[in-house]
Amino acid sequence: MKEYVIDCRRLTDAAAAHAYLKELFAFPEYYGANLDALYDCLSSMPPCRVRMDYPWALSQLGAWAAPLLEVFCDVADECEGFVLA
């Protein structure tokens, strides 16, 4: 199972987060850079394990941190083979 490690220090704002996640997960060029598109891309990935390093850095996202985390948690809850560690 492939493992992805998210360096939360690189998630400085919504635009930077989407750009980083697109690169990290090798999302397609048409990735919409919004939370719905993030859910769609993550939920269609082959089985994988995702770990977030430096989670304290999510605080730099302000109010946007909670919805972002919710997307990852929803995918982990709803998609067999997507493991959030």
Side-chain angles (χ1 to χ4, degrees), residues 1 42-48 74-83:
M1 178 180 291
L42 290 174
S43 64
S44 65
M45 291 177 56
C48 64
D74 286 350
V75 174
D77 288 344
E78 299 166 11
C79 300
E80 188 173 327
F82 186 94
V83 178

Side-chain angles (χ1 to χ4, degrees), residues 31-59:
Y31 172 64
N34 61 61
L35 294 175
D36 289 333
L38 178 62
Y39 178 89
D40 291 344
C41 286
L42 290 174
S43 64
S44 65
M45 291 177 56
C48 64
R49 180 180 183 90
V50 176
R51 187 179 84 230
M52 293 188 175
D53 280 358
Y54 312 104
W56 51 264
L58 290 172
S59 64

Side-chain angles (χ1 to χ4, degrees), residues 1-80:
M1 178 180 291
K2 183 162 179 140
E3 180 170 291
Y4 297 92
V5 178
I6 299 172
D7 181 347
C8 294
R9 297 173 299 181
R10 300 209 33 206
L11 309 178
T12 55
D13 58 36
H18 283 294
Y20 172 64
L21 295 172
K22 178 182 177 183
E23 177 186 335
L24 177 68
F25 292 109
F27 290 159
E29 282 302 312
Y30 59 83
Y31 172 64
N34 61 61
L35 294 175
D36 289 333
L38 178 62
Y39 178 89
D40 291 344
C41 286
L42 290 174
S43 64
S44 65
M45 291 177 56
C48 64
R49 180 180 183 90
V50 176
R51 187 179 84 230
M52 293 188 175
D53 280 358
Y54 312 104
W56 51 264
L58 290 172
S59 64
Q60 64 194 343
L61 292 173
W64 196 73
L68 176 66
L69 285 173
E70 186 176 344
V71 168
F72 280 93
C73 291
D74 286 350
V75 174
D77 288 344
E78 299 166 11
C79 300
E80 188 173 327

